[in-house]
Amino acid sequence: MTDTLFALHRGTAPLLVSLPHDGTHVPDDIAARLTPSARRVPDTDWHIARLYAFARDLGASVLVPSHSRYVVDLNRSEDDVSLYPGQNTTGLCPLVQFDGTPVYRDGAAPDEAEVRARVERYWRPYHAALRGELARLREAHGRVVLWEGHSIKGELPFLFDGRLPDLNLGTAGGASCRPALQAALEDVLAAQGAYGWVANGRFKGGHITRHFGDPGRGIDAVQMEISQRCYMNEDSFAFDAARAAPLQALLRTLLETTLR
Ligand SMILES: [Zn+2]
């Protein structure tokens, strides 16, 4: 049981870290309708809040939801427009898992009225919190960076071919942040040799990055999609602290770069 929709840590720096797929909670009435495999919420951005725990030390604000993306995907538009037209993707209230198998038992998928109700109950409060915290930080500092932290299993044939690069920087093809910030982040990535990376590859930034990123009005939005093999066991979902440590050091440098 949880009635809490999200936790917002209000920091002091012009940086908001949003982790919209960290949640694992599924209310009982919805969980009862899921397939056995979906009940394990395999498509969670596992441990992403733990991975970014250091961000508070930098003065960042951190926003973390409680509920699973299977309840409602906070990184989709409320009208459920496809993020990646022509490619497989999952929707506002996903009906398929990342492996292409169903989320719901036969006949148990939500109807349109239920989808609308979930948007009101779960989606809108998170977006209101995002908007409010961005406004507070921009007011205080003049500018703010929104860092969208994500992770995903590195091989998912239903969604993409082959093996995803370790680190996938997304700026909506350059539209969601200042070019100088993207260049500075790319410089950090280019200067290290431990992780493969790409900018605006398969993952260019989801709805939150595209919707809130508005560099001309002082909001720079950046998405970082991490292949989960870099910090955890993708089969057991166990966090691997030893593997995570060097990744966390690099993420820290990247977040510090947004504050320069
Ligand atoms: Zn995600």
Side-chain angles (χ1 to χ4, degrees):
M1 277 291 293
T2 181
D3 294 324
T4 308
L5 296 180
F6 55 81
L8 171 60
H9 167 77
R10 288 194 171 89
T12 53
L15 173 62
L16 170 59
V17 176
S18 159
L19 306 170
H21 295 148
D22 182 78
T24 55
H25 181 64
V26 180
D28 292 344
D29 59 316
I30 298 174
R33 293 149 54 194
L34 301 186
T35 62
S37 64
R39 282 186 177 220
R40 298 173 66 231
V41 289
D43 304 334
T44 302
D45 292 6
W46 291 103
H47 312 295
I48 196 78
R50 180 173 176 182
L51 191 70
Y52 279 100
F54 67 88
R56 291 183 179 213
D57 304 336
L58 304 179
S61 292
V62 184
L63 181 60
V64 186
S66 307
H67 289 72
S68 167
R69 71 189 300 155
Y70 286 171
V71 177
V72 69
D73 191 332
L74 301 167
N75 199 26
R76 297 293 182 273
S77 70
E78 63 178 296
D79 56 7
D80 206 10
V81 170
S82 175
L83 281 180
Y84 298 102
Q87 301 182 70
N88 280 343
T89 185
T90 55
L92 181 62
C93 288
L95 300 178
V96 291
Q97 305 179 41
F98 287 167
D99 66 2
T101 63
V103 169
Y104 292 89
R105 297 172 185 276
D106 281 350
D111 61 15
E112 186 57 22
E114 183 178 355
V115 172
R116 288 300 111 207
R118 291 191 199 177
V119 167
E120 295 302 321
R121 182 166 178 187
Y122 303 104
W123 187 97
R124 222 173 280 296
Y126 190 87
H127 280 251
L130 257 177
R131 197 176 306 110
E133 187 62 3
L134 287 172
R136 183 183 77 83
L137 293 171
R138 189 176 51 171
E139 175 91 355
H141 301 280
R143 298 196 66 86
V144 60
V145 172
L146 169 61
W147 185 275
E148 267 282 297
H150 291 265
S151 73
I152 193 165
K153 193 174 177 186
E155 293 181 50
L156 287 166
F158 178 71
L159 294 183
F160 49 84
D161 293 332
R163 203 166 186 256
L164 197 66
D166 297 328
L167 305 177
N168 301 262
L169 190 67
T171 62
S176 69
C177 78
R178 286 167 294 154
L181 175 59
Q182 181 173 333
L185 294 170
E186 290 184 357
D187 285 348
V188 171
L189 292 167
Q192 56 80 44
Y195 301 96
W197 65 279
V198 67
N200 294 305
R202 169 65 178 86
F203 293 99
K204 303 178 193 322
H207 171 70
I208 291 174
T209 305
R210 301 180 198 183
H211 179 75
F212 288 98
D214 193 352
R217 299 185 59 237
I219 301 178
D220 292 302
V222 174
Q223 176 172 294
M224 175 58 81
E225 184 80 74
I226 299 171
S227 285
Q228 290 174 337
R229 61 175 178 268
C230 298
Y231 70 92
M232 59 175 273
N233 184 312
E234 292 185 343
D235 298 316
S236 70
F237 304 146
F239 190 76
D240 184 334
R243 221 185 298 173
L247 175 61
Q248 288 170 307
L250 177 57
L251 291 172
R252 176 185 280 265
T253 302
L254 289 166
L255 292 194
E256 286 169 346
T257 299
T258 71
L259 295 173
R260 288 207 188 104

